[in-house]
Amino acid sequence: MSRTVRNYVNGDWQDAAAAPTLPVHDPATGELLAQCPDSGGDDVGAAVTAARDAFDEWRSTPVLARAQYMHHFKVLVEENFEEISRIVVREHGKTIDEARGEVRRGIESIDFAISVPVLMRSDGLEDISSGIDETTVRQPAGVFAAITPFNFPFMVPLWFLPTAITCGNTFILKPSPQTPLSTEFLFELLHELDLPEGVVNLVNGGVPSATALMEHPEVTGVSFVGSSAVAKIIYETCTRNGKRVQAQGGAKNYIAVMPDANIEASVKNILGAAYGCAGQRCLAAAVAVGVGDAYDALKAELAKQVASLKVGYGLEETTQMGTVISEAAKTRIEAMIGQSEADGAEVLIDGRNYRVEGYEEGAWVGPTLIADVQPATAMAQEEVFGPVLALMKADSFGEAVAMINQSRYGNAASIFTNNGKQAREFKYSVKAGNIGVNIGVAAPSASFPFGGQKDSFFGDLHGQGMDSIEFFTERKIVIERWV
Ligand code: NAD
C-alpha cells in the first residue's frame, strides 16, 4: 500500500475530502511512490477560507518581518538542498545535477522575495496643487493561487509563493499531480517557519481543484505555468471570473546557427539546451536551423555529440540524461518521431524503443536527432516536450528569422554567431520573449520577468522580476490636503 499525499490547509496537514487518487511513479524504475489526491471543490473551499481569514493579520505584519520569514526559509532550503534534489529526481526522472540546478534557481527566487521591502516602495509628489500632496502606496491584493507544471516541481512554485506572501498576500498552491512530492517537502519546510496559519496552503490534484480555484470568488489572482492549451483555458476562465491572471504556456524554441559560428562550441551548448531534462523544459531547444553552409557542419557535429550522451538513472552521478515523465509521454513522443519520419524527415539518431539495463520499467526515450525537417510539418510546429531535436535548413539569415517568426509560439529563440550586427538584428526582429545570443537556454534570472509571447503567454504581467511585484500588489493613489 502506498501512502496518499496530504493537503496543507490552515497551518496543518489534512487528508483531502475527495476520494479519488492519482498514482505517482518514479519514471525510471516504475516504482509507485505515492498516491496524489484529486482534491475537489470542498478542499479548495477550505484552503480559500483559511487564506482569506489569514489575510488581514498577515497584511498588517510589518513587511520587514515578512521578509525575515524568507531569510529563514532560504536557510532551510539550503540545509536540505541534497534531499530536495533527490526527491525531484525520484518523482521527475531528471539527473541529480539538473535537480540541483533547479533547487539553486528556486533559492534565487527566495532571494528576490527578500528584496520585497525595497521593491514594494512607491513614489509621491508634493504640491501637485497648492498645499496638496499626492502619493502612491502598494498594498497586498488578497488571496493568490498558483497552478504549476510537472517539469520543475520545486522551482516553478517558488517563482510565485515567496514574492506573493512577502508582499502581504496569502497563497494557495496547486502543483502538478504527476509530481506532488517536491512541493510536499517544500511545505514541510514552510511549516517549520511558523507562519501564521492560513498564509500558505497546498491543495493537491488535477483539473477539479484547478477549476475550483479559478471559479472561487475570493481568489484575487492566479499564476499558471504549463502547456499552451491549458494556459488559454486558465486565462479565459480567470478573466471570465474577474481575476487577474498570468498564464505562461508551452514552446517551440528555435536556434539559428550562422556560418560564422564556432560549430563545435555551439553544438556543445545546443546539446545541453535540447537534451537537458530530457527536453522537458519550456526553454528547450526544439529546432536547430543551420543557415547556409552551417547546415552540413551542424548536422555532422550534432550526430557525433548526440551519440555520446549517457542516458540512465538520474541518481547516478555520471548520467547525462534521464527519463521522460511517464509511459504516456513516451508513447506520445515516439508517435511524433514516427509522424516526422512519415512526413519525409530523416531520423538520424532514433531514441524510440530505448532500453537502459537494470531499468526495464523506465519511461526511456533516447536522444533523438531528426534532419531535413520541413517547415510545414508537425515536427517544426508542435511542442514535443521530449529529447528530440529537429534540424532545418535556411538559405539566409532572413529566412531563418522568418521561420522563427511564423511559429505560433514565442517563448525563446537563440542565435549562434560571431557577427554582432546579425546578433543585433536577431534581438531586434525575432518575436520571442527570451532571446539568447550564443546561449542555448535563455533562462531569465529571478530579478527579470520571464518572457513569453504569442501562444507562449496569456496575460500582461509575467512571472518574476518587477512584473511579479505589480501582479501581487494593488496600487492606491492618495491625494492629501491638511488645513
Ligand atoms: P499541463 O498544462 O498539462 O499542466 C499544468 C498544470 O495545469 C497542472 O497543475 C495540471 O494539473 C493543470 N491542468 C491541466 N489541465 C487543466 C485544465 N483543463 N484546467 C485546469 N488546470 C489544468 O502542463 P505539464 O505537462 O504539467 O507541463 C509541461 C508544459 O508546461 C509544457 O508545455 C511546457 O512548455 C510548459 N512550461 C512552460 C513554462 C513557461 O514558463 N512558459 C515553464 C515550464 C513548463
Side-chain angles (χ1 to χ4, degrees):
M1 268 299 280
S2 59
R3 71 189 180 88
T4 300
V5 179
R6 301 211 285 172
N7 293 339
Y8 184 84
V9 177
N10 206 26
D12 210 357
W13 291 99
Q14 296 181 4
D15 290 326
T21 58
L22 310 156
V24 183
H25 292 282
D26 177 332
T29 62
E31 183 190 340
L32 181 64
L33 300 175
Q35 295 284 345
C36 178
D38 198 3
S39 300
D42 290 347
D43 299 299
V44 166
V48 176
T49 300
R52 180 206 61 200
D53 290 351
F55 178 68
D56 282 346
E57 183 195 328
W58 182 242
R59 69 158 286 195
S60 59
T61 301
V63 64
L64 289 171
R66 297 197 303 253
Q68 279 303 320
Y69 283 103
M70 291 302 105
H71 279 285
H72 186 190
F73 185 36
K74 177 180 172 175
V75 170
L76 288 179
V77 174
E78 291 281 12
E79 283 173 1
N80 290 278
F81 191 93
E82 270 309 298
E83 185 167 357
I84 300 164
S85 305
R86 293 176 73 82
I87 295 172
V88 170
V89 172
R90 294 282 332 262
E91 69 174 351
H92 178 283
K94 63 179 71 172
T95 71
I96 185 72
D97 257 353
E98 289 164 349
R100 288 176 185 133
E102 161 167 6
V103 179
R104 181 56 53 204
R105 281 280 178 151
I107 291 170
E108 287 168 14
S109 292
I110 303 174
D111 278 332
F112 179 78
I114 290 170
S115 308
V116 160
V118 177
L119 302 175
M120 241 182 117
R121 280 182 350 209
S122 266
D123 52 14
L125 201 55
E126 286 181 340
D127 288 322
I128 48 113
S129 187
S130 188
I132 298 181
D133 305 332
E134 187 163 342
T135 48
T136 318
V137 282
R138 280 184 197 281
Q139 298 184 329
V143 176
F144 280 84
I147 299 167
T148 54
F150 79 81
N151 67 320
F152 284 97
F154 189 78
M155 176 187 78
V156 170
L158 292 179
W159 286 355
F160 309 110
L161 185 150
T163 300
I165 67 168
T166 313
C167 284
N169 305 287
T170 54
F171 197 82
I172 301 159
L173 175 66
K174 193 217 76 67
S176 166
Q178 296 189 89
T179 51
L181 303 180
S182 312
T183 39
E184 178 188 47
F185 196 81
L186 178 84
F187 271 74
E188 278 170 16
L189 300 183
L190 288 167
H191 185 68
E192 284 187 45
L193 297 183
D194 272 333
L195 285 158
E197 290 167 3
V199 170
V200 291
N201 304 275
L202 172 68
V203 178
N204 285 294
V207 178
S209 47
T211 306
L213 281 167
M214 291 187 286
E215 292 179 346
H216 199 296
E218 288 183 292
V219 172
T220 303
V222 174
S223 305
F224 171 83
V225 179
S227 59
S228 288
V230 179
K232 194 158 184 283
I233 294 171
I234 302 284
Y235 182 74
E236 289 171 354
T237 311
C238 287
T239 48
R240 197 167 54 244
N241 284 281
K243 299 188 192 319
R244 58 180 77 179
V245 54
Q246 46 184 194
Q248 301 182 192
K252 187 82 190 179
N253 305 315
Y254 280 65
I255 292 189
V257 180
M258 301 304 295
D260 58 62
N262 176 330
I263 295 291
E264 198 183 329
S266 305
V267 166
K268 220 169 169 186
N269 214 301
I270 294 168
L271 211 66
Y275 302 106
C277 296
Q280 298 167 115
R281 285 196 289 213
C282 67
L283 295 174
V287 181
V289 182
V291 179
D293 292 345
Y295 183 81
D296 289 337
L298 185 64
K299 184 172 163 183
E301 186 62 29
L302 270 168
K304 195 169 96 189
Q305 293 196 30
V306 172
S308 72
L309 277 175
K310 183 174 180 296
V311 180
Y313 190 39
L315 286 177
E316 288 163 12
E317 294 278 352
T318 56
T319 295
Q320 291 174 303
M321 195 184 98
T323 59
V324 296
I325 185 66
S326 63
E327 273 300 313
K330 173 183 161 78
T331 305
R332 180 182 54 75
I333 295 162
E334 291 188 342
M336 287 188 79
I337 298 169
Q339 181 61 50
S340 185
E341 199 170 30
D343 286 340
E346 182 191 2
V347 181
L348 277 181
I349 299 182
D350 191 346
R352 286 173 291 183
N353 305 312
Y354 203 85
R355 299 251 177 284
V356 173
E357 213 185 309
Y359 298 96
E360 282 70 21
E361 301 303 314
W364 305 105
V365 179
T368 298
L369 182 63
I370 308 183
D372 295 329
V373 171
Q374 295 305 306
T377 62
M379 187 48 67
Q381 301 301 334
E382 299 306 324
E383 183 173 36
V384 177
F385 220 56
V388 179
L389 180 65
L391 260 172
M392 292 172 69
K393 184 168 186 175
D395 288 336
S396 64
F397 171 81
E399 191 186 345
V401 171
M403 278 176 175
I404 299 171
N405 284 348
Q406 57 69 47
S407 170
R408 74 183 176 98
Y409 295 104
N411 216 34
S414 293
I415 184 168
F416 282 83
T417 183
N418 279 317
N419 180 329
K421 185 169 182 295
Q422 265 173 357
R424 197 249 174 204
E425 183 59 27
F426 191 84
K427 287 188 286 184
Y428 189 81
S429 54
V430 163
K431 294 179 192 144
N434 303 292
I435 300 289
V437 176
N438 298 318
I439 300 279
V441 180
S445 50
S447 61
F448 286 82
F450 194 103
Q453 300 178 3
K454 299 189 272 181
D455 280 2
S456 296
F457 180 73
F458 298 88
D460 306 286
L461 297 168
H462 295 247
Q464 299 196 155
M466 281 311 290
D467 275 26
S468 69
I469 303 291
E470 296 284 348
F471 188 74
F472 290 124
T473 56
E474 194 82 81
R475 267 179 302 174
K476 190 176 274 180
I477 315 302
V478 182
I479 304 163
E480 292 178 83
R481 171 166 50 200
W482 293 93
V483 287

